[in-house]
Amino acid sequence: MSTKPHTVQSTRLSESISALETRLLELQNKYDQRHADLKLAEAVCLKNLEEAANKQTTNAVDRIVKLFEFARNLLVTLIVVATVLGVGGYFQIQTFVKDFVAGQVKSWLNIAEPASPLHGPISHLTTRMAVNALIMDRARYGTRAGFHGNIKISSMWIDKMLADLTSASTSDGDFAELALALSSEAPLIGGGEHRVLIMDTIRKILLDPKAPAHRKAVLLRTFAFDPSLTEVAVDLFVNGKDLDTQAAAFRYLRRSITSERLAELARPILRSTPSNPNEDFLYLQQQAAETLADANLNDPDLAKFLATKKQEDHQVERALIGLAALDKISTKSAISMDQVSDAEKAKRISFAAPLLAAAINTGVSVTWSETAARTPVIALQNTDRARRRLYQIATPRALLAPGLGNALFNRLGGNTSGLVKLVAAVSGVPDFREEFGKPYRVELLLGPGDKLVTTTNEVLSQNRLGNPLYLESGSNDGTAVLIRWRDIDGLYKTAYLGQAVLAMPTIRIVPSSSASDRYLDNYAYNSRYD
């Protein structure tokens, strides 16, 4: 009998403990459910942020952030209310669970905290939106570097972008786009408060021996029109330890210093003869040779270099050197052209024409290509696909040099076959970017006694036509030439070339359209990514 009260007390204590365990289990289940709801809300918010990123507007980001803060407060309130209503008399447990859950939720949803699981994804998305906005602003308000666009970015976003730019964990693709966005925010004219900070950061990366060489090359290409990096580029070229950076620095310097000063840097490269040169060194030598062709056709180092490139495998390289010699006489600027005498123009045409004609005779032609950043560029290619090489043309307006068309026609035989070769070389069907059309076509103004005979035996002569004819390739294999002209009756007509009898023609290589002309004007900017 004496043990009965003890037994009753034990039973009640056991029941109380069981009830407590049951209640704790219920609280745990509710907590797990709220945790799952929180994860679902997180996924929904991230999806909304991604949709906002696709719209690429700053206002969209602000709306999503406000919605996220509202959701965060609402979820915390719901969890606290549910906990208070469900605990009953277990006040201490209720307080612990409420504080714990509220603290966890605040930690998760505070995107400014590095420990938050949302910090990385949301910070990345919002930074990407700022980058995309700047890139779109640049595309909308012109392709020429130099002027600030309409988008105003706060210092907070600039700091975030610069942090990502200097981070080793940033992917190469994101690095290139960050550099482009920052170059848009720090133009030479109107760069504003951020330019000094951005350019100082760029210089530090370029001078950092631990920074990857290919990223330095990206920066030099992206800021190619900003002369404030000239001295840094000279230092990288002269004291650089890797060819990729040296090549990028040399390419940058081709736009920022005089040809005479650049020639002094180029000569040692041509004189260097490593026993087993790699592709980077050969590219750098090619750049140096083109520089000397632009600066001084009589340079003995250039003559020696060309003497080593006589094999058929080097016809493309020789053609590019010829084009470089024409750069000074092909610009649209009347001021630049007036600086070159008629004798110098004739000398440069005489230098370039044999190199280009020899390349055309071996099948070299102009084509569209694209860089690793999928930017369209104009290149020279060999039609032999077994050993095809593509070389980007640095200054494609060189093909428009006055007198080049006639010089090439004469070098190619001055007959129908030569005309077909010339047309196929400069206006062939593009391999890569057909949507851009053909960059060039041949303009032909007939002289006295000149005539073209079409495949339907129609004769086109000076007496019949007062306007020039336009010739372009009319087949994939380059054997057919399509003629376009405005006839004596005022109608525009087309026909295929059958025979050409030309004694005193005026032949010019011209842009295929006004759009192509504008593209060639902006080409140096548009094609700066390798």
Side-chain angles (χ1 to χ4, degrees), residues 254 289-298 302 306 317-331 340 344-353 355-356 395 398-399 401 404:
R254 289 184 71 177
E290 292 176 24
T291 296
L292 288 180
D294 179 47
N296 181 13
L297 296 179
N298 297 323
L302 175 61
L306 282 172
E317 293 97 318
R318 292 168 62 85
L320 289 172
I321 293 172
L323 288 175
L326 300 176
D327 188 28
K328 287 184 178 179
I329 63 173
S330 58
T331 177
V340 182
E344 179 68 13
K345 292 176 185 178
K347 181 179 178 181
R348 289 181 174 272
I349 291 293
S350 297
F351 173 86
L355 300 176
L356 292 169
T395 54
L399 282 164
L404 179 62

Side-chain angles (χ1 to χ4, degrees), residues 220-241:
L220 288 170
R221 286 191 290 268
T222 305
F223 289 83
F225 290 90
D226 194 321
S228 65
L229 299 176
T230 297
E231 295 308 316
V232 175
V234 170
D235 181 71
L236 288 173
F237 177 75
V238 174
N239 302 315
K241 302 300 182 183

Side-chain angles (χ1 to χ4, degrees), residues 24-42 74-76 78-80 82-83 97 100-101 104-105 108:
L24 285 172
L25 181 61
E26 291 176 357
L27 285 173
Q28 180 66 42
N29 291 336
K30 288 183 178 182
Y31 170 75
D32 291 342
Q33 181 61 43
R34 296 299 182 270
H35 190 186
D37 292 341
L38 176 60
K39 288 294 184 182
L40 178 60
E42 175 188 335
L74 179 61
L75 284 171
V76 172
L78 289 175
I79 292 174
V80 172
T83 304
V97 172
F100 175 77
V101 172
Q104 283 292 100
V105 171
W108 286 333

Side-chain angles (χ1 to χ4, degrees), residues 14 99 132 156 159 180 228 256 298-299 308 386 413 435 473:
S14 177
D99 292 344
N132 292 340
M156 179 189 73
D159 291 341
L180 180 60
S228 65
S256 61
N298 297 323
D299 195 291
T308 67
E435 68 270 25
S473 183

Side-chain angles (χ1 to χ4, degrees), residues 17 84 99 101 150 183 222-223 252 314 340 464:
I17 293 173
V84 171
D99 292 344
V101 172
N150 284 356
S183 71
T222 305
F223 289 83
Y252 170 91
H314 299 297
V340 182
R464 175 174 174 177

Side-chain angles (χ1 to χ4, degrees), residues 251 290 320 323-324 365-367 377-381 390-399 440 523-524 527:
R251 190 174 182 179
E290 292 176 24
L320 289 172
L323 288 175
S365 61
V366 178
T367 187
V377 296
I378 301 173
L380 292 183
Q381 69 169 358
L390 286 173
Y391 291 86
Q392 179 180 337
I393 302 175
T395 54
R397 289 200 73 89
L399 282 164
Y440 308 100
Y523 181 85
S527 63

Side-chain angles (χ1 to χ4, degrees), residues 298-315:
N298 297 323
D299 195 291
D301 291 308
L302 175 61
K304 292 177 182 178
F305 181 77
L306 282 172
T308 67
K309 298 290 182 179
K310 287 186 176 180
Q311 298 89 344
E312 186 175 296
D313 289 344
H314 299 297
Q315 294 294 357

